[in-house]
Every structure is written in structure tokens, then in C-alpha cells.
Amino acid sequence: MIRHATLDEIAQIRALFEDEVRAGRMLPRSDEDIRATLGDWLVAEKVGQIVGCVSLVHFNADLCEVRSLAVHPTYRGNGIAGNLIEAALELAHAQGRNRVLTLTRGVHLFEQCGFQQEAVANFPDKVWKDCALCPFRHAC
């Protein structure tokens, strides 16, 4: 089941991607960051356990980003990531965003969900808001 995250699930959400952050494949998100944008976080739940998450980040009235996609290693390969991406796209469109981007090393997965590769420079709102401070900016 994919649904909106709740306040009492923030620690579980962060735990989902801590290994990815340590490995340098994802950017960290603090409890405060998640709490402040909780309405833009979705989780995948199986048997009462949070097994995946994704969030949206808004840049302007038309553009947002799908990010912080993570699935517990035990549940990978079962379509949960794709379901989370689709749910995030539905949420973005329900919020009036017509353009959705992602910066990812999982290109194939996002292409399967209809994304196309473009240069990050085509999204100046993203670059100005996030890229200048990102530790991966030289290896994006």
C-alpha cells in the first residue's frame, strides 16, 4: 500500500536510506527536513512495516522533483520503487505540477516510468536551489 507518511514514521523513513547516504548514493535528509515537508512524502507499507519512501520537492508552480526514493533491500525487485514513482507523479500532477524531474543514478528505472534524460542545466530553478550546495555537484 502506498500512502502519505506520518510524523511517527520519520525515523523509519530516514533508516530506509541511511545505507545509501553512507555509500554516497543519496543525499541525507534530516528529521527536520522531512517533518517540514511531510505532506510531500509517500511511503510503501507491507504488513505494517515501512518498506519504501519517496518525496517531492517543489521549485515553482510548474516544476517539482521526485527524490529520496528508497526501498528496503529485502523488498527490492518487487515493483515497489516503480509504484512509488508513479504515486509521486500522481501527487505532483494533483498539486498542479506539469513538469517533474529527478537526478538519479537509477536512470533505467526512471526511464521505465516515462522519464527522459535531459541536462540538469535545463532546470535552472533546481540548479539555483540545490546544486550549488550539493556535495555531488562535480560528479552528478
Side-chain angles (χ1 to χ4, degrees):
M1 172 173 69
I2 308 261
R3 59 173 176 73
H4 282 276
T6 63
L7 279 172
D8 61 328
E9 295 168 334
I10 291 174
Q12 293 175 70
I13 291 168
R14 280 196 337 104
L16 278 173
F17 54 84
E18 283 179 357
D19 287 341
E20 298 296 313
V21 169
R22 277 193 292 278
R25 292 186 291 265
M26 287 182 73
L27 295 173
R29 305 287 177 238
S30 70
D31 287 359
E32 294 77 27
D33 290 339
I34 297 170
R35 188 177 299 108
T37 59
L38 195 60
D40 292 318
W41 283 82
L42 300 171
V43 294
E45 180 183 342
K46 269 197 173 298
V47 195
Q49 178 185 358
I50 303 302
V51 300
C53 65
V54 69
S55 72
L56 292 178
V57 175
H58 304 279
F59 297 108
N60 59 45
D62 192 53
L63 177 66
C64 69
E65 177 182 12
V66 172
R67 80 173 176 193
S68 300
L69 174 67
V71 175
H72 189 281
T74 303
Y75 295 93
R76 291 180 186 161
N78 294 310
I80 294 171
N83 290 338
L84 283 163
I85 293 167
E86 291 300 322
L89 290 172
E90 289 174 16
L91 179 60
H93 293 296
Q95 295 175 343
R97 287 356 188 245
N98 295 312
R99 298 184 323 144
V100 181
L101 68 90
T102 191
L103 294 182
T104 183
R105 291 186 170 100
V107 173
H108 182 70
L109 171 64
F110 281 90
E111 286 178 336
Q112 288 178 321
C113 293
F115 284 76
Q116 299 174 346
Q117 289 189 48
E118 288 193 41
V120 72
N122 292 338
F123 303 97
D125 290 331
K126 165 67 178 173
V127 173
W128 284 108
K129 181 176 181 183
D130 289 334
C131 296
L133 303 173
C134 179
F136 302 137
R137 70 185 169 274
H138 299 297
C140 183

